[in-house]
Amino acid sequence: MNLLSESISPLLTSDKLELLKAHKILTSLDFVQYNNDKIANLIGQNVSEIIKIKDQILAANNSKSLRADKLYEIILKRTTIIKSGIDMVDKMLDGGIPSGRLVEVFGEPGSGKTQLALQLTANTALKQQQTVCYLTTSDANAERILEIMHSLQEDADHLNGLERIHFCYVNDVYQLMEMLWAPGMREYKLVVIDSLATLFLPIRGDSFNDAISLLNKVASDLKRLAVVHQCVVLTVNHVSRGPAEGTASTPTPFLGRYWCSVPNLTLHSKHLSKDEFQLTVVKNIYSPDPGPKCSFRYFFRSRVDVKNEFKSIYPHI
Ligand SMILES: Nc1ncnc2c1ncn2[C@@H]1O[C@H](COP(=O)(O)OP(=O)(O)OP(=O)(O)O)[C@@H](O)[C@H]1O
């Protein structure tokens, strides 16, 4: 279901849409599910007119039958495989991450979660020439992306690649939910949320039911985004506690037991030494054999060198 707009019915004028928005009736689905009398009172229309609008919405969203072979053809055409550009990682992921999936990377501070998100972003924008939306709760780091792009392909048009990446700051989980429904979201083949755990930190102390229902809503919005717009959604999550000292067990993801069932693919990131990292597939609902891991190196350079070099190559930035 889409965001409510004037195009749905001439009765839904901009002032009425504002009234609905103020009551958190944002999408056609919200509208259809809301009580007829209450909506009629809210926007000053007859109940019969409200029912008519609901019928129009339902008719427009009615599913039509489609032969299975045609459906398969459509799915194949719409599917994009998002790759990291690191052979070991892409091989471990059976060639990459197909669109329509919700993926989580979790790990301890400094374990390479952001680095993986940036690596996927840089490769998708530069080598796969697809657009990426990077929703961040901290600083946007275009310099790190440029550094990765140089390591992927030295002689490419990096500025062109950077233009395909849209950074947005997210302040809270409510803003995130609004962003996920924005019409522009359909353009992206990769949507990164770095980090989802940070957005849930402030409400961790709230009532358990409130936090779970919010998490439930975010989970369904993220899955809808991945499936409806055929993109990969990558969420970054922290850990709530590290492995017990002296053991090799995997730490627990921060968002808790309910969230663990949500992603299609869960990766655990670990910093081994200097530029060496490890990724482990903790959960993959499409593979009978979870548990593969791989170690690989990121290409790092001194920040000062990178800054000076970029200044000489891109003096106008
Ligand atoms: N240019 C660089 N040179 C050397 N090391 C780097 C460079 N960029 C990142 N690193 C290292 O890579 C590691 C991973 O960084 P990253 O930002 O991905 O961590 P993270 O898991 O997202 O951590 P956090 O949860 O604190 O945000 C860190 O140890 C960091 O010091």
Side-chain angles (χ1 to χ4, degrees), residues 32 65 88 166 214:
V32 171
S65 70
M88 305 278 276
H166 299 175
L214 206 51

Side-chain angles (χ1 to χ4, degrees), residues 1-3 26-27 102 133-136 168-170 172-188 190-194 196 199-200 214-229 231-235 259 262:
M1 293 264 175
N2 302 321
L3 279 179
L26 298 171
T27 67
L102 173 58
C133 179
Y134 202 107
L135 303 175
T136 177
C168 293
Y169 290 98
V170 200
D172 58 50
V173 72
Y174 300 99
Q175 193 189 6
L176 171 73
M177 287 195 285
E178 219 166 291
M179 282 174 160
L180 295 179
W181 282 89
M185 274 291 163
R186 62 171 60 100
E187 286 172 32
Y188 304 114
L190 173 64
V191 176
V192 178
I193 298 139
D194 184 3
L196 191 61
L199 293 173
F200 275 90
L214 206 51
L215 199 56
N216 196 10
K217 172 86 176 95
V218 170
S220 75
D221 284 357
L222 292 174
K223 283 209 162 168
R224 182 205 67 92
L225 181 68
V227 172
V228 174
H229 299 321
C231 60
V232 167
V233 176
L234 174 72
T235 60
W259 177 259
V262 175

